[in-house]
Amino acid sequence: MMIHEYLRTLISFAFVLGVLVSIHELGHYLAARWRGVHVEVFSLGFGPALFRWHDRSGTEWRICPIPLGGYVRPHGFEDPEDATPEQKAAWLPGRTFHDKSVWSRAIVIVAGPVFNFLLAILLFTIIFASVGQPIVRNEIAAVQPGGAAAAAGVQAGDVIRRIGTHDVTNVQDAQATILGEAGARTTLTVRRGGQDVDLPVTIGTATESSSSTPHGQLGVMFATEAGKPLSVPGAVVAGVKATWTTTVQTLDGVWQILTGRHTAKDLGGPLKIAQLSGQVAQYGFASLLSFMALLSVNLGLINLFPVPLLDGGRLVFYAIEAVRGRPVSKRIQEISFQAGFALLAGLFLFSTFNDLSGFGLFKWIASLVS
């Protein structure tokens, strides 16, 4: 059974990351072809190529063993000042990246993240058109024994109307309010039998194993209705809305980490993604597609952050070039790329450390030593 779970996790992780990276790089590739830039290499994964072949346009396609990313290498991507005489001699006139206008270069770079958002819309659309969109109602379906809601006298069938002085508009509003009220003594107003009932409550406190920051917990389950498949136009609209909501929630989560409302220990890395891929896959293909849509939005957003080495960092340089009429100095770009590399490497190591801590590796090592 254990081998089966590991195999499912590995296959799911490779499928999820492979699709997300492929679509991201496909955006760069198609935009480059559209803007008249020859693409030398399209690589899925890093490391030595396991398989490679050339298409009719001369692009070399590679499949590499380390599935943690990929890249597209446009022809003439290197700065003319850094190119060797041999590289310059091999340049195809009118087909190099550096010869294109700043707008064309920006289009090639931004196309990767844009394709990630388009993929999320497509995946949400497929889900809503095939299995429908689940509806979570603001109605208590079950009360957890021993929880804050049970102690306050909340009953199944109650509808939450107000938490303290905050009027609750929907389930998401109620959950967000409760999360930020860990340990707070307040009043929960519920609709019961056609009347509003005020219930004094002390919001419960919970702390995830990977986080030292407590969050509020009420101890209830909300009623959920299975959605009906939508028409294709309706599914597209719902897919766009779901992508937008996911984008806003992701940015809000990043902002909460930056402002200290959530600890950076909540950041997950590739090991966490692999674990979640395997867990989600056991609930069916639709659940895996939903997980992929969420990750695709995250990948698109991350790449748009103004960090050198990421797509967003290059877009900042191109914006400055468009305003000034000349590129950012070579020295500033070099320093920025070095700082960006250090930041990304640090985030990768930190998130991996969080993953290993969450898996209990360090506690296990400590138990062996003691």
Side-chain angles (χ1 to χ4, degrees):
M1 183 65 178
M2 187 67 68
I3 296 178
H4 172 72
E5 292 179 356
Y6 283 139
L7 184 61
R8 182 185 63 215
T9 296
L10 181 61
I11 294 175
S12 301
F13 178 64
F15 174 74
V16 168
L17 209 59
V19 171
L20 296 185
V21 171
S22 298
I23 294 300
H24 181 91
E25 299 304 330
L26 182 63
H28 291 312
Y29 171 81
L30 292 178
R33 294 290 302 272
W34 174 41
R35 306 311 297 174
V37 178
H38 172 61
V39 178
E40 295 179 351
V41 178
F42 189 123
S43 177
L44 297 180
F46 297 117
L50 298 176
F51 305 98
R52 67 174 71 198
W53 66 94
H54 290 81
D55 62 19
R56 289 183 295 179
S57 67
T59 299
E60 180 182 301
W61 297 74
R62 299 176 183 174
I63 298 180
C64 303
I66 306 176
L68 295 179
Y71 63 92
V72 164
R73 188 167 71 209
H75 181 59
F77 191 69
E78 63 277 355
D79 193 288
E81 297 179 10
D82 300 328
T84 65
E86 291 77 12
Q87 288 176 319
K88 292 181 180 180
W91 282 343
L92 303 175
R95 303 291 303 280
T96 59
F97 181 81
H98 63 259
D99 277 339
K100 298 300 178 181
S101 69
V102 65
W103 302 111
S104 290
R105 283 178 276 143
I107 288 173
V108 174
I109 296 301
V110 78
V114 167
F115 265 54
N116 280 125
F117 289 110
L118 293 177
L119 174 63
I121 293 173
L122 175 63
L123 294 176
F124 279 129
T125 298
I126 293 174
I127 295 170
F128 298 154
S130 58
V131 299
Q133 186 174 13
I135 301 173
V136 182
R137 301 200 317 271
N138 182 12
E139 178 183 331
I140 306 301
V143 180
Q144 177 184 344
V154 176
Q155 301 176 6
D158 289 348
V159 175
I160 299 178
R161 301 291 297 274
R162 191 178 302 108
I163 301 174
T165 59
H166 177 74
D167 292 328
V168 173
T169 57
N170 51 42
V171 172
Q172 291 75 21
D173 185 23
Q175 292 173 330
T177 303
I178 292 168
L179 282 175
E181 297 290 334
R185 295 183 178 181
T186 185
T187 300
L188 190 68
T189 302
V190 299
R191 190 73 171 175
R192 179 186 298 170
Q195 295 182 339
D196 286 347
V197 180
D198 293 331
L199 302 173
V201 63
T202 300
I203 304 297
T205 301
T207 303
E208 300 293 340
S209 60
S210 60
S211 171
S212 60
T213 302
H215 61 262
Q217 191 172 65
L218 190 57
V220 298
M221 290 183 61
F222 290 97
T224 303
E225 295 180 0
K228 297 180 180 179
L230 303 177
S231 64
V232 173
V236 172
V237 173
V240 172
K241 291 181 178 179
T243 301
W244 172 254
T245 300
T246 303
T247 301
V248 173
Q249 291 175 343
T250 302
L251 290 175
D252 181 60
V254 173
W255 178 249
Q256 290 185 22
I257 291 177
L258 293 177
T259 56
R261 292 170 59 192
H262 278 289
T263 175
K265 290 184 179 180
D266 293 333
L267 290 173
L271 298 180
K272 188 67 174 180
I273 295 175
Q275 180 193 39
L276 292 176
S277 299
Q279 291 176 350
V280 171
Q282 67 181 325
Y283 296 111
F285 194 62
S287 296
L288 187 61
L289 291 184
S290 179
F291 180 62
M292 289 174 60
L294 297 177
L295 284 182
S296 192
V297 170
N298 278 263
L299 181 59
L301 281 176
I302 289 173
N303 273 279
L304 287 177
F305 287 166
V307 177
L309 286 187
L310 294 180
D311 295 334
R314 294 190 179 277
L315 291 174
V316 170
F317 287 143
Y318 294 157
I320 295 174
E321 180 180 345
V323 172
R324 297 173 68 235
R326 62 181 185 277
V328 176
S329 71
K330 188 67 177 177
R331 180 59 178 166
I332 292 179
Q333 291 190 47
E334 289 177 351
I335 295 175
S336 299
F337 286 141
Q338 291 171 1
F341 176 80
L343 176 62
L344 294 177
L347 285 175
F348 177 81
L349 293 175
F350 181 74
S351 61
T352 302
F353 178 85
N354 282 348
D355 293 346
L356 295 176
S357 298
F359 296 156
L361 175 64
F362 300 115
K363 291 182 180 179
W364 176 71
I365 293 176
S367 67
L368 293 179
V369 174
S370 59

